[in-house]
Amino acid sequence: MVEPSRLRAVDLAASVGVSVQQVRNYVDLGVLPPVARTPAGYRVFTTAHAEALLVVRRMAEGHGWARTREVMAAVHAGDQGAALAALDRGHAELDRERAEIRRVLGAFDTVVAGPVVTVPARRRGVRIGEVADLVGVRTSLLRLWERRGLLRPVRERGTTYRLYDEAELRAAQVVALLRRGGYPFDIVASVLGELRTTGSPQRVRAELARREQELHRRSLARLAASAALYDYLRSRGLAGATTPGSP
């Protein structure tokens, strides 16, 4: 007679929509608790494995598979400290993303509030010296920004002088405004990338607002996953456990 707590591998796999082989792989990777074996060598799965498998699926939804594997393997190896450190890194990543979105939004406020310079009428473009005068920087800075990939002037035929059209003149102004505001090059590059893609600060702000909402959704999913893991640890009596080597 089969004990009520025991489960067939096929039923365990079906409970979360994975294959039996995936369940076996999870055991081999340490993502599920260790399994006992019958005298004939068959794996013995229990409701504890079913609970762990549900947590794995929830963790994967919130933290992604790579971090889920790292966390659950650490939990089942008895290294709670490593599991918590991996979780902390995941939440910290979202915090950095949120901070970057806010910094870029602030940078766009600087851009929108700044004056607009244009290429003089009937000109295909302006040379680097005139651009420097228009945006108020040295030509050496314009060359530096070009080397960093922020500016993309074309070369004039015959003379090979740099020529900035209206879009590149605006880009030079954006870089100058943001650098004066203390923004690092990575934020400047993000702003310019968004502007080149969408074409206007207003559309960029709308896109960043959409990304911020998506970040909120991911943050809630990650929180729910971490809560599910905590419940799992508590059910196994590990919620207050210390890691190996702790005093």
Side-chain angles (χ1 to χ4, degrees), residues 148-168:
R148 284 182 170 268
L150 300 174
L151 301 179
R152 306 170 185 174
V154 298
R155 295 284 180 163
E156 188 177 42
R157 287 185 179 180
T159 66
T160 70
Y161 288 136
R162 291 172 174 85
L163 280 182
Y164 294 74
D165 61 14
E166 191 162 348
E168 286 308 302

Side-chain angles (χ1 to χ4, degrees), residues 129-237:
E130 191 171 354
V131 174
D133 291 337
L134 287 169
V135 302
V137 298
R138 299 187 305 275
T139 56
S140 59
L141 267 181
L142 293 174
R143 293 189 183 94
L144 170 63
W145 297 342
E146 182 183 347
R147 288 196 297 272
R148 284 182 170 268
L150 300 174
L151 301 179
R152 306 170 185 174
V154 298
R155 295 284 180 163
E156 188 177 42
R157 287 185 179 180
T159 66
T160 70
Y161 288 136
R162 291 172 174 85
L163 280 182
Y164 294 74
D165 61 14
E166 191 162 348
E168 286 308 302
L169 179 57
R170 177 61 172 161
Q173 182 192 24
V174 168
V175 178
L177 284 170
L178 297 183
R179 291 298 290 162
R180 289 190 192 107
Y183 289 97
F185 281 113
D186 60 334
I187 297 297
V188 176
S190 295
V191 170
L192 285 178
E194 297 290 351
L195 279 174
R196 293 185 193 278
T197 300
T198 63
S200 73
Q202 291 74 20
R203 290 180 62 185
V204 171
R205 287 185 64 84
E207 172 61 18
L208 289 173
R210 185 195 66 77
R211 291 185 198 174
E212 194 168 33
Q213 288 302 311
E214 171 62 16
L215 187 60
H216 293 338
R217 185 199 65 77
R218 290 167 54 205
S219 185
L220 287 172
R222 198 158 291 188
L223 180 63
S226 296
L229 177 64
Y230 176 77
D231 288 341
Y232 176 70
L233 292 175
R234 187 172 58 181
S235 71
R236 292 174 61 86

Side-chain angles (χ1 to χ4, degrees), residues 57-72:
R57 302 304 286 181
R58 178 61 65 85
M59 283 285 294
E61 291 171 3
H63 290 275
W65 168 243
R67 180 160 285 115
T68 296
R69 181 174 60 184
E70 180 182 6
V71 169
M72 297 302 289

Side-chain angles (χ1 to χ4, degrees), residues 5-20:
S5 62
R6 290 180 58 173
L7 298 170
R8 296 187 307 165
V10 64
D11 295 328
L12 183 63
S15 68
V16 294
V18 299
S19 68
V20 172

Side-chain angles (χ1 to χ4, degrees), residues 46-67:
T46 69
T47 52
H49 294 94
E51 292 173 7
L53 194 53
L54 288 174
V55 173
V56 168
R57 302 304 286 181
R58 178 61 65 85
M59 283 285 294
E61 291 171 3
H63 290 275
W65 168 243
R67 180 160 285 115

